Amino acid sequence: MKKKLRAFQIENTSVTQGQSPILTMLDEALKQLTTVQDRRMLLNHQDSDEDLLAYYEQHNNGIFCGMMMRIIPAEQGGVLSEDIFQKDTIKIDDLDAREEKQSQYKSHYYFALNGSYLITDLPVSTNIERLQTYLNWLLEGQRGETLFSFTPLMVLPEGLKLKDIRHIEFSGGNRIQAQQTTTESYDVKTSLLTLRDNLLDELFGSNPSLQDLKKEQLVSAKLLLQIQKRPKGMDKDTYQNLLGAIAKNVNSESGFSIKAKNGTTYNGQQINRIREVEVEETSKKRVNEQQLWQEMERFLQQVAKENE
């Protein structure tokens, strides 16, 4: 079974520690949140979809491994009885349970982290904020005003220099979100499809053919961030961190690319720090969890060495 692993940096907000305190906080929180029931996060109070840390292991080498699960109200297949949530952990085999009060399994993914980096097999089409939001919720009693943030690790293609970049391009129907900073009082959240439709309205007004253009999607949308000049004193590492902050808010690696002045285009998969691994399957076509976590641990060691 092939797995695509993505690497993220855990932003450290501590001025006194060399890495984030997330491991210590997880240890403290999970001593209190001993059952899966305690770790169920409702996505919306008017809905019943939930995320939960279904299973985890804390290794002596300072690595935390976990499996996240999304559940929805039971309708058919892949269900969990309410009694299961009183257990310390949930395993995939527990999905075979069948009782009256049930929740339905929807999906799951794995992750591993240390104090500085996080590795996950969360699909590239899903924003890392899904896991980021959950862990901030889980650690609410420990983190105070700190909000943990996971930024994609970016690698400039071999031989590409900052001065050789022409522009950064967003395309397709991707949603882009710009979060407020300490100097801003608002958030910007839109999608390229919305920008496209708004621009067509401005260009063509009430032309009847406009709706046909939208319906048939005959006009695509692209957003270009033009690289005019690298700020004086900005090094390669700083620039790669900036790219990571931009890419974090794009929900597909195919919607983010860098175009060099020589005409070469590098897509999201070539820029993001991604590693594809082969993991053994069980007799039930499920992943060998220990092997997957060891591959994640190996990736954690690799990115740590690269960023020394």
Side-chain angles (χ1 to χ4, degrees):
M1 176 187 298
K2 288 186 178 181
K3 286 286 186 177
K4 187 176 290 187
L5 306 181
R6 294 193 284 162
F8 297 83
Q9 182 172 6
I10 302 174
E11 299 301 327
N12 183 20
T13 58
S14 173
V15 296
T16 60
Q17 301 181 49
Q19 58 183 15
S20 78
I22 192 168
L23 285 173
T24 302
M25 292 184 184
L26 280 169
D27 183 59
E28 293 174 358
L30 293 171
K31 286 178 180 177
Q32 303 173 33
L33 308 174
T34 56
T35 68
V36 178
Q37 175 68 35
D38 299 327
R39 303 194 294 270
R40 295 170 70 174
M41 183 187 79
L42 192 65
L43 302 190
N44 189 297
H45 288 290
Q46 297 181 359
D47 206 341
S48 299
D49 293 11
E50 298 176 84
D51 278 346
L52 56 91
L53 179 60
Y55 183 85
Y56 65 90
E57 296 180 3
Q58 294 169 291
H59 295 178
N60 293 331
N61 59 359
I63 293 179
F64 182 95
C65 299
M67 179 185 73
M68 291 296 303
M69 188 178 291
R70 174 156 292 189
I71 59 173
I72 58 179
E75 294 178 358
Q76 58 181 9
V79 297
L80 297 168
S81 70
E82 292 298 310
D83 292 340
I84 288 180
F85 296 114
Q86 302 307 319
K87 299 174 61 175
D88 293 339
T89 60
I90 296 177
K91 296 184 179 180
I92 295 297
D93 287 340
D94 294 325
L95 299 180
D96 296 332
R98 294 288 189 276
E99 294 186 14
E100 290 185 4
K101 292 187 66 177
Q102 297 172 327
S103 295
Q104 180 177 344
Y105 160 87
K106 184 177 181 181
S107 62
H108 73 281
Y109 61 92
Y110 296 87
F111 70 94
L113 61 83
N114 55 25
S116 301
Y117 303 102
L118 178 145
I119 307 295
T120 180
D121 68 345
L122 184 68
V124 294
S125 58
T126 303
N127 197 296
I128 191 59
E129 288 190 355
R130 174 179 293 192
L131 178 57
Q132 178 180 294
T133 299
Y134 178 83
L135 290 180
N136 277 318
W137 171 85
L138 187 75
L139 301 176
E140 193 169 17
Q142 287 72 36
R143 61 180 175 78
E145 296 182 355
T146 298
L147 280 169
F148 290 106
S149 180
F150 308 143
T151 302
L153 285 177
M154 311 296 288
V155 179
L156 286 178
E158 189 70 27
L160 181 64
K161 299 180 180 179
L162 302 182
K163 63 182 179 63
D164 296 329
I165 296 177
R166 183 181 301 278
H167 62 243
I168 302 171
E169 179 178 308
F170 300 91
S171 61
N174 287 287
R175 178 170 293 276
I176 302 169
Q177 180 175 350
Q179 299 178 343
Q180 67 181 33
T181 66
T182 54
T183 59
E184 294 174 332
S185 59
Y186 61 89
D187 289 344
V188 177
K189 189 172 184 179
T190 188
S191 71
L192 293 183
L193 293 180
T194 301
L195 292 174
R196 179 201 65 184
D197 291 348
N198 291 343
L199 179 59
L200 288 175
D201 288 338
E202 290 293 328
L203 291 175
F204 300 107
S206 59
N207 191 319
S209 299
L210 176 59
Q211 297 306 317
D212 292 334
L213 284 174
K214 293 180 180 179
K215 183 179 179 181
E216 299 300 330
Q217 296 187 358
L218 297 179
V219 178
S220 62
K222 290 184 179 180
L223 175 64
L224 299 182
L225 300 183
Q226 196 77 26
I227 308 300
Q228 299 291 349
K229 185 178 180 181
R230 177 171 63 93
K232 186 177 180 180
M234 179 181 287
D235 58 24
K236 183 177 180 179
D237 290 340
T238 302
Y239 192 79
Q240 289 179 179
N241 288 337
L242 289 175
L243 292 180
I246 295 171
K248 179 179 179 179
N249 296 301
V250 181
N251 62 4
S252 171
E253 65 180 25
S254 63
F256 176 66
S257 62
I258 290 179
K259 189 166 185 177
K261 292 178 180 178
N262 64 5
T264 304
T265 299
Y266 303 92
N267 61 33
Q269 185 167 346
Q270 294 171 295
I271 301 166
N272 282 277
R273 192 66 178 88
I274 295 175
R275 179 180 179 185
E276 193 170 274
V277 297
E278 188 75 32
V279 182
E280 181 185 24
E281 288 182 328
T282 68
S283 58
K284 294 184 178 181
K285 300 298 182 182
R286 293 167 183 162
V287 67
N288 181 328
E289 293 178 336
Q290 293 303 320
Q291 185 180 357
L292 177 60
W293 278 325
Q294 288 176 22
E295 289 291 351
M296 290 182 175
E297 180 179 346
R298 189 172 289 111
F299 199 9
L300 280 171
Q301 294 171 348
Q302 184 176 348
V303 296
K305 186 176 182 180
E306 292 172 352
N307 290 276
E308 286 180 346

